Amino acid sequence: MSGRLFVIGLGPGAADQMTPEAAAALEAAQDLFGYGPYLDRVPVRPDQTRHASDNREEISRAAAALSRAQAGATVAVVSGGDPGVFAMAAAICEAIESGPPDWRAIDLQVVPGLTAMLAVAARVGAPLGHDFCAISLSDNLKPWAVIELRLRAAAQAGFVLALYNPVSRARLWQLDAAFDLLRGILPAGVPIVFGRAAGRPDERIAIVPLSEAQADMADMATCILVGSAATRLIHRPGLPPLVYSPRSQG
Amino acid sequence: MSGRLFVIGLGPGAADQMTPEAAAALEAAQDLFGYGPYLDRVPVRPDQTRHASDNREEISRAAAALSRAQAGATVAVVSGGDPGVFAMAAAICEAIESGPPDWRAIDLQVVPGLTAMLAVAARVGAPLGHDFCAISLSDNLKPWAVIELRLRAAAQAGFVLALYNPVSRARLWQLDAAFDLLRGILPAGVPIVFGRAAGRPDERIAIVPLSEAQADMADMATCILVGSAATRLIHRPGLPPLVYSPRSQG
């Protein structure tokens, strides 16, 4: 008799941005799996077993969680933001596809969460107000040439871009390479939003023109929004500017 | 002394998918503005004034809400899903930009919500597991040629697509035109997810290959996910298949 597996999105980090659905799934779990800093956001309960792992170990974490669920436990795998956006839901599916047939019978429920680009966008106005793309800048799992192709295609077609995983300790040059590529396509004044830890105590939001965007303005906790040529700033006396992408474009 | 304006995302519809932050902002409001069916999701409170309007009246709704806030009230404008994704946050910014200077001093807070594509994706696995785009198929505010350009660019570059506003009573041919265009680019077997009213009692989820996708499978409450060539199905005995887009691609 197999158990249940929840793949839960904790949202960007603020407690009041996690859905009640996610809170209920956490409540039901006997075993919690996740990257350490995400697990640290979940209040400790002595009757739950916690299995923290590093952020490069998605597939082994997925397999361990599926094994526990297969053994009958109610298991939660937690992701920051939304589990379906550059996070654990795809890793769980990959593990199911290549794993033992019994794993396909596990009661799997993906519980969505607020993904970072929505939280960052809300802080500055409506930068995602028209068509947009989400791109991971990590070339751990796809070639850099694919990332360049997608950045170019999306910027040329007038999408706003949300850049996830912009830098890491091991990936330093990719973000500046992305900005250089984008400077060849978009006007110099296009607003770039660096949204770090949106909604958390250590939140830091910066808005700069594309001409001044640099990789050292971002860290691992940053989601970057790149405007389109249509994206505009509204200046406000005594308040930060609003950034928005108008609904109408031609 | 001007008041406050919250622009609130109610999420896809299920009460347990609305964030506590959104619930608190609704609680604080004296005046509620929104498209009728979204306002209907908010429990009636006799001390709140409700201003329902039609879904083609975003700018006049925005102006009315800003006027009330300017007059000192605490005002909430509600959107389904996330207010920053094809919804009211951009309309509010447009109204501020072209409105009286005093509107720029209003305390504006955008409260994010779960947008439809995340809720639909969670129902079927991890179809947004790699880079993806969100495109509105409505040509009320942008030319159809721009939409075609973006569909083509995104599909050719290997993005998964989330199609918002796929059809309306007045727009019937656009979705079939989009599927025809995509059939010229993507393999016939690419999974298409029709996600209607995710999380609500009238939810309906269908998965078909691109070759069989037709506009009459969608209505105004549907968000459509179009896989990339890499998107896969995992068949499960006695359960619906999982749809996922692997994190690694080349």
PDB file of all heavy atoms in Angstrom, chain B residues 91-106:
ATOM      1  N   ALA B  91      -3.135  47.934 -16.023  1.00  0.00           N
ATOM      2  CA  ALA B  91      -4.172  48.949 -16.276  1.00  0.00           C
ATOM      3  C   ALA B  91      -4.092  50.073 -15.245  1.00  0.00           C
ATOM      4  O   ALA B  91      -4.255  51.253 -15.578  1.00  0.00           O
ATOM      5  CB  ALA B  91      -5.554  48.299 -16.264  1.00  0.00           C
ATOM      6  N   ILE B  92      -3.830  49.718 -14.001  1.00  0.00           N
ATOM      7  CA  ILE B  92      -3.666  50.742 -12.958  1.00  0.00           C
ATOM      8  C   ILE B  92      -2.465  51.638 -13.278  1.00  0.00           C
ATOM      9  O   ILE B  92      -2.536  52.868 -13.177  1.00  0.00           O
ATOM     10  CB  ILE B  92      -3.483  50.074 -11.570  1.00  0.00           C
ATOM     11  CG1 ILE B  92      -4.763  49.355 -11.123  1.00  0.00           C
ATOM     12  CG2 ILE B  92      -3.005  51.087 -10.521  1.00  0.00           C
ATOM     13  CD1 ILE B  92      -5.845  50.237 -10.575  1.00  0.00           C
ATOM     14  N   CYS B  93      -1.357  51.031 -13.687  1.00  0.00           N
ATOM     15  CA  CYS B  93      -0.172  51.835 -14.034  1.00  0.00           C
ATOM     16  C   CYS B  93      -0.468  52.748 -15.224  1.00  0.00           C
ATOM     17  O   CYS B  93      -0.070  53.920 -15.217  1.00  0.00           O
ATOM     18  CB  CYS B  93       1.014  50.917 -14.345  1.00  0.00           C
ATOM     19  SG  CYS B  93       1.690  50.070 -12.901  1.00  0.00           S
ATOM     20  N   GLU B  94      -1.151  52.233 -16.233  1.00  0.00           N
ATOM     21  CA  GLU B  94      -1.508  53.074 -17.384  1.00  0.00           C
ATOM     22  C   GLU B  94      -2.358  54.269 -16.934  1.00  0.00           C
ATOM     23  O   GLU B  94      -2.140  55.402 -17.382  1.00  0.00           O
ATOM     24  CB  GLU B  94      -2.279  52.259 -18.431  1.00  0.00           C
ATOM     25  CG  GLU B  94      -1.412  51.236 -19.149  1.00  0.00           C
ATOM     26  CD  GLU B  94      -2.233  50.253 -19.986  1.00  0.00           C
ATOM     27  OE1 GLU B  94      -3.255  50.647 -20.591  1.00  0.00           O
ATOM     28  OE2 GLU B  94      -1.861  49.068 -20.016  1.00  0.00           O
ATOM     29  N   ALA B  95      -3.308  54.011 -16.047  1.00  0.00           N
ATOM     30  CA  ALA B  95      -4.177  55.095 -15.576  1.00  0.00           C
ATOM     31  C   ALA B  95      -3.381  56.111 -14.755  1.00  0.00           C
ATOM     32  O   ALA B  95      -3.593  57.325 -14.872  1.00  0.00           O
ATOM     33  CB  ALA B  95      -5.335  54.523 -14.751  1.00  0.00           C
ATOM     34  N   ILE B  96      -2.455  55.638 -13.931  1.00  0.00           N
ATOM     35  CA  ILE B  96      -1.625  56.574 -13.156  1.00  0.00           C
ATOM     36  C   ILE B  96      -0.787  57.430 -14.092  1.00  0.00           C
ATOM     37  O   ILE B  96      -0.680  58.655 -13.926  1.00  0.00           O
ATOM     38  CB  ILE B  96      -0.706  55.799 -12.177  1.00  0.00           C
ATOM     39  CG1 ILE B  96      -1.538  55.166 -11.058  1.00  0.00           C
ATOM     40  CG2 ILE B  96       0.367  56.727 -11.579  1.00  0.00           C
ATOM     41  CD1 ILE B  96      -0.745  54.247 -10.124  1.00  0.00           C
ATOM     42  N   GLU B  97      -0.198  56.806 -15.108  1.00  0.00           N
ATOM     43  CA  GLU B  97       0.691  57.541 -16.000  1.00  0.00           C
ATOM     44  C   GLU B  97      -0.041  58.677 -16.715  1.00  0.00           C
ATOM     45  O   GLU B  97       0.502  59.772 -16.879  1.00  0.00           O
ATOM     46  CB  GLU B  97       1.310  56.594 -17.025  1.00  0.00           C
ATOM     47  CG  GLU B  97       2.413  57.266 -17.841  1.00  0.00           C
ATOM     48  CD  GLU B  97       3.098  56.285 -18.781  1.00  0.00           C
ATOM     49  OE1 GLU B  97       2.426  55.419 -19.352  1.00  0.00           O
ATOM     50  OE2 GLU B  97       4.327  56.413 -18.945  1.00  0.00           O
ATOM     51  N   SER B  98      -1.282  58.417 -17.122  1.00  0.00           N
ATOM     52  CA  SER B  98      -2.000  59.433 -17.900  1.00  0.00           C
ATOM     53  C   SER B  98      -2.968  60.242 -17.039  1.00  0.00           C
ATOM     54  O   SER B  98      -3.648  61.125 -17.552  1.00  0.00           O
ATOM     55  CB  SER B  98      -2.756  58.761 -19.050  1.00  0.00           C
ATOM     56  OG  SER B  98      -3.705  57.864 -18.531  1.00  0.00           O
ATOM     57  N   GLY B  99      -3.011  59.973 -15.741  1.00  0.00           N
ATOM     58  CA  GLY B  99      -3.975  60.642 -14.881  1.00  0.00           C
ATOM     59  C   GLY B  99      -3.404  61.865 -14.180  1.00  0.00           C
ATOM     60  O   GLY B  99      -2.268  62.275 -14.440  1.00  0.00           O
ATOM     61  N   PRO B 100      -4.176  62.467 -13.253  1.00  0.00           N
ATOM     62  CA  PRO B 100      -3.714  63.647 -12.526  1.00  0.00           C
ATOM     63  C   PRO B 100      -2.469  63.333 -11.684  1.00  0.00           C
ATOM     64  O   PRO B 100      -2.331  62.217 -11.173  1.00  0.00           O
ATOM     65  CB  PRO B 100      -4.907  64.006 -11.621  1.00  0.00           C
ATOM     66  CG  PRO B 100      -5.828  62.847 -11.657  1.00  0.00           C
ATOM     67  CD  PRO B 100      -5.543  62.058 -12.883  1.00  0.00           C
ATOM     68  N   PRO B 101      -1.569  64.302 -11.534  1.00  0.00           N
ATOM     69  CA  PRO B 101      -0.318  64.074 -10.792  1.00  0.00           C
ATOM     70  C   PRO B 101      -0.534  63.520  -9.385  1.00  0.00           C
ATOM     71  O   PRO B 101       0.287  62.733  -8.895  1.00  0.00           O
ATOM     72  CB  PRO B 101       0.318  65.468 -10.735  1.00  0.00           C
ATOM     73  CG  PRO B 101      -0.274  66.217 -11.886  1.00  0.00           C
ATOM     74  CD  PRO B 101      -1.643  65.667 -12.099  1.00  0.00           C
ATOM     75  N   ASP B 102      -1.643  63.897  -8.738  1.00  0.00           N
ATOM     76  CA  ASP B 102      -1.885  63.431  -7.370  1.00  0.00           C
ATOM     77  C   ASP B 102      -1.955  61.902  -7.258  1.00  0.00           C
ATOM     78  O   ASP B 102      -1.697  61.339  -6.194  1.00  0.00           O
ATOM     79  CB  ASP B 102      -3.212  64.005  -6.839  1.00  0.00           C
ATOM     80  CG  ASP B 102      -3.069  65.463  -6.419  1.00  0.00           C
ATOM     81  OD1 ASP B 102      -1.933  65.975  -6.412  1.00  0.00           O
ATOM     82  OD2 ASP B 102      -4.103  66.089  -6.117  1.00  0.00           O
ATOM     83  N   TRP B 103      -2.367  61.247  -8.345  1.00  0.00           N
ATOM     84  CA  TRP B 103      -2.473  59.789  -8.284  1.00  0.00           C
ATOM     85  C   TRP B 103      -1.121  59.121  -8.057  1.00  0.00           C
ATOM     86  O   TRP B 103      -1.050  57.998  -7.575  1.00  0.00           O
ATOM     87  CB  TRP B 103      -3.119  59.238  -9.574  1.00  0.00           C
ATOM     88  CG  TRP B 103      -4.596  59.506  -9.650  1.00  0.00           C
ATOM     89  CD1 TRP B 103      -5.364  60.157  -8.738  1.00  0.00           C
ATOM     90  CD2 TRP B 103      -5.493  59.106 -10.704  1.00  0.00           C
ATOM     91  NE1 TRP B 103      -6.672  60.207  -9.157  1.00  0.00           N
ATOM     92  CE2 TRP B 103      -6.779  59.564 -10.363  1.00  0.00           C
ATOM     93  CE3 TRP B 103      -5.331  58.419 -11.917  1.00  0.00           C
ATOM     94  CZ2 TRP B 103      -7.898  59.350 -11.176  1.00  0.00           C
ATOM     95  CZ3 TRP B 103      -6.430  58.201 -12.725  1.00  0.00           C
ATOM     96  CH2 TRP B 103      -7.710  58.665 -12.355  1.00  0.00           C
ATOM     97  N   ARG B 104      -0.031  59.811  -8.393  1.00  0.00           N
ATOM     98  CA  ARG B 104       1.299  59.222  -8.200  1.00  0.00           C
ATOM     99  C   ARG B 104       1.690  59.143  -6.730  1.00  0.00           C
ATOM    100  O   ARG B 104       2.639  58.445  -6.374  1.00  0.00           O
ATOM    101  CB  ARG B 104       2.355  60.025  -8.981  1.00  0.00           C
ATOM    102  CG  ARG B 104       2.071  59.984 -10.467  1.00  0.00           C
ATOM    103  CD  ARG B 104       3.120  60.665 -11.312  1.00  0.00           C
ATOM    104  NE  ARG B 104       2.679  60.651 -12.704  1.00  0.00           N
ATOM    105  CZ  ARG B 104       3.471  60.470 -13.753  1.00  0.00           C
ATOM    106  NH1 ARG B 104       4.751  60.336 -13.581  1.00  0.00           N
ATOM    107  NH2 ARG B 104       2.965  60.457 -14.977  1.00  0.00           N
ATOM    108  N   ALA B 105       0.986  59.903  -5.893  1.00  0.00           N
ATOM    109  CA  ALA B 105       1.294  59.881  -4.451  1.00  0.00           C
ATOM    110  C   ALA B 105       0.511  58.801  -3.706  1.00  0.00           C
ATOM    111  O   ALA B 105       0.738  58.584  -2.513  1.00  0.00           O
ATOM    112  CB  ALA B 105       0.983  61.250  -3.848  1.00  0.00           C
ATOM    113  N   ILE B 106      -0.415  58.137  -4.387  1.00  0.00           N
ATOM    114  CA  ILE B 106      -1.227  57.115  -3.705  1.00  0.00           C
ATOM    115  C   ILE B 106      -0.347  55.937  -3.284  1.00  0.00           C
ATOM    116  O   ILE B 106       0.522  55.501  -4.036  1.00  0.00           O
ATOM    117  CB  ILE B 106      -2.369  56.640  -4.637  1.00  0.00           C
ATOM    118  CG1 ILE B 106      -3.375  57.772  -4.849  1.00  0.00           C
ATOM    119  CG2 ILE B 106      -3.057  55.391  -4.091  1.00  0.00           C
ATOM    120  CD1 ILE B 106      -4.404  57.496  -5.927  1.00  0.00           C
TER     121      ILE B 106
END
